[in-house]
Amino acid sequence: GTYTFVIKATDANKVAATKSYTVKITQTAISGTFTATGVVKAKYNSAVTVSGGTASYTWTKASGTIPAGLKLTYSGAKATLSGTPTKAGSYTFSLKVTDKNGVAATKSYTVKITQTAISGTFANGVVKAKYTSTITVGGGTASYTWTKASGTLPAGLKLTYSGAKATLSGTPTKAGNYTFSLKVTDKNGVAATKSYTVKITQTAISGTFTATGIVKAKYNSTVTVGGGTAGYTWTKASGTLPAGLKLTYSGAKATLSGTPTKAGSYTFTIEVKDKNGVVATKKFTVKITEAKSATKSQPDVATARPEESPTSQTADKTLAEAVTAPISVKSALPGGGTGSVNLPATLSVFSEDIVEAYDGKDSDLVRVRENTPVRFIVSNWGTKVSSQVVYVDDKPAEGIRISDEGMFTLPSEFVRGDFKVCVKSQSESETLESEELFIIAE
């Protein structure tokens, strides 16, 4: 420690003098630190020394492991770590030194040995879009020698090397996944190899228009560009759109929308060109159908008059007509008399996810792809209603809203396994229930 004190002296005549002193007492201690990093196959030499204490000194490695290829040597007040590292890693060890009077000091060190390694990765690219991407050497000793060790570069690109950098650049000409490896060797002959996969994409139309629509039921479906370079130019290349529908374009999207006016199967092709002139085309087929009869699944009406048969009066009514016109049938009612019977609403599936549909005796059976949203439409009830609720497996499906056009979508989380769907509604006097649709999701 450092000690400060004052001495006072007084002579025979009582004349006094004072003086202050500081005495510093030291003990054996190790000062300095070894160079924190080294490189495989690169010469290493670093030393620490004793401060304080009384010579002579005795050194020992107290604990831990020194880097492979290095050794400790001692000379008087100095300890030296030197040699040529042979293996990368982080090495921790401690040294102890004891002076002539037996006073000891210990200190811990960590030395990290690195070796030549390639860091970073090459980016993906797009056909006909300029490309440049660079990787570097981490560790190792300059100078560096690069080579392509294996594989194939993307068509249109080349590798160039400058010091610790390797650059892949050019203009890709062909889409695909390209795998190759690079090797770099440093000044001391230490080599590193790394493999890369670069994906080159090109303009492509992804998604498909909803495969089915219904006459007089609103239709809206969108496809997008995947890959390519914005901005995009769209055109209808060939074919015929469904009557009543039109194509509109906005950036990377093409939308087919409107209200179909004529049933039929319509096939057409659209084309998109990206900023670099790369073109993609895709063919679509959209089938427009007439809606099912609004009398499907109507309840039996006892002793209906032949001339006023519900089937004969409503067989030609389409779904769109049912949405806009209340339906009632005059017939004989149980117990005598005549009156109006509200027809139950039909429930239809229209979605590109339909795999197959079957006409059952009492209801529809529809097969769809699992985990995909499925769209439905419910026809008019034939009377004014105040609420409509979707039921899945006899339980209300919370958060499902039926639009003013009678349309709703079951999200993908509902579409699993076998289940049934119906819609219940409340009129002024009674609860109405649509037909049940049985769905197989697989």
Side-chain angles (χ1 to χ4, degrees):
T2 298
Y3 302 86
T4 299
F5 54 94
V6 176
I7 294 178
K8 180 179 179 181
T10 305
D11 69 1
N13 297 314
K14 295 184 178 181
V15 179
T18 59
K19 192 170 182 180
S20 178
Y21 300 89
T22 296
V23 177
K24 186 175 181 180
I25 306 298
T26 64
Q27 68 177 37
T28 306
I30 302 173
S31 60
T33 187
F34 293 115
T35 301
T37 59
V39 180
V40 169
K41 291 193 178 180
K43 287 185 179 180
Y44 178 98
N45 188 294
S46 186
V48 295
T49 58
V50 175
S51 62
T54 305
S56 57
Y57 301 99
T58 303
W59 294 87
T60 56
K61 181 170 73 69
S63 64
T65 303
I66 63 174
L70 302 187
K71 66 179 181 178
L72 282 163
T73 56
Y74 313 110
S75 177
K78 187 186 288 187
T80 301
L81 181 66
S82 62
T84 301
T86 58
K87 187 177 180 181
S90 184
Y91 299 85
T92 298
F93 57 96
S94 62
L95 294 187
K96 179 180 178 182
V97 64
T98 305
D99 75 354
K100 180 180 179 180
N101 298 315
V103 180
T106 303
K107 191 171 182 180
S108 180
Y109 302 92
T110 296
V111 175
K112 184 176 182 180
I113 304 300
T114 64
Q115 68 177 33
T116 305
I118 302 173
S119 58
T121 189
F122 291 115
N124 293 326
V126 179
V127 169
K128 290 193 178 179
K130 285 186 178 179
Y131 175 100
T132 182
S133 186
T134 298
I135 58 169
T136 59
V137 175
T141 305
S143 56
Y144 301 99
T145 302
W146 294 87
T147 56
K148 181 170 76 68
S150 64
T152 304
L153 299 181
L157 301 186
K158 66 177 182 178
L159 280 163
T160 55
Y161 312 110
S162 176
K165 291 182 180 180
T167 300
L168 182 65
S169 61
T171 302
T173 59
K174 186 178 180 181
N177 288 325
Y178 298 85
T179 298
F180 57 95
S181 62
L182 294 187
K183 180 180 178 180
V184 64
T185 305
D186 76 353
K187 180 181 179 180
N188 298 312
V190 181
T193 303
K194 190 171 181 181
S195 181
Y196 299 91
T197 295
V198 175
K199 183 177 182 180
I200 304 298
T201 61
Q202 68 178 34
T203 305
I205 301 173
S206 58
T208 186
F209 293 117
T210 301
T212 58
I214 299 174
V215 170
K216 294 189 180 179
K218 286 184 178 179
Y219 177 100
N220 187 292
S221 187
T222 297
V223 296
T224 59
V225 175
T229 306
Y232 300 100
T233 303
W234 295 85
T235 56
K236 181 171 75 68
S238 63
T240 304
L241 300 181
L245 302 187
K246 66 177 180 178
L247 280 165
T248 55
Y249 312 110
S250 176
K253 291 183 180 179
T255 301
L256 181 65
S257 61
T259 302
T261 59
K262 186 178 179 181
S265 183
Y266 300 85
T267 298
F268 56 96
T269 299
I270 60 175
E271 174 184 297
V272 64
K273 182 186 296 186
D274 77 353
K275 181 181 179 181
N276 297 312
V278 181
V279 174
T281 60
K282 192 170 183 180
K283 182 183 285 187
F284 302 91
T285 297
V286 175
K287 186 176 182 180
I288 305 299
T289 61
E290 298 284 356
K292 297 176 183 179
S293 168
T295 60
K296 181 173 173 62
S297 299
Q298 70 182 56
D300 293 335
V301 181
T303 62
R305 297 179 183 177
E307 69 274 17
E308 295 174 328
S309 163
T311 301
S312 65
Q313 287 196 10
T314 61
D316 294 330
K317 282 191 176 290
T318 65
L319 177 60
E321 290 170 333
V323 171
T324 56
I327 303 169
S328 64
V329 178
K330 290 186 178 180
S331 60
L333 298 177
T338 60
S340 294
V341 177
N342 290 320
L343 298 179
T346 57
L347 185 59
S348 304
V349 179
F350 64 107
S351 170
E352 61 194 62
D353 301 308
I354 294 176
V355 176
E356 199 167 356
Y358 310 89
D359 281 331
K361 180 179 179 182
D362 299 314
S363 62
D364 282 342
L365 179 62
V366 178
R367 189 157 61 95
V368 299
R369 287 194 292 272
E370 194 169 44
N371 298 319
T372 53
V374 178
R375 301 168 68 196
F376 295 81
I377 188 164
V378 56
S379 71
N380 191 279
W381 294 93
T383 186
K384 185 176 181 181
V385 295
S386 58
S387 66
Q388 295 188 84
V389 180
V390 177
Y391 280 73
V392 177
D393 284 337
D394 301 320
K395 295 179 180 178
E398 294 183 5
I400 307 295
R401 179 184 173 275
I402 300 175
S403 72
D404 294 340
E405 292 80 19
M407 298 170 63
F408 66 91
T409 299
L410 279 187
S412 58
E413 58 265 27
F414 285 88
V415 187
R416 296 190 179 97
D418 299 345
F419 61 97
K420 60 183 179 180
V421 183
C422 74
V423 176
K424 295 182 181 180
S425 188
Q426 184 66 45
S427 71
E428 292 181 358
S429 58
E430 59 183 329
T431 299
L432 304 172
E433 186 172 343
S434 77
E435 66 171 326
E436 287 185 325
L437 263 168
F438 288 86
I439 311 293
I440 300 173
E442 58 186 28

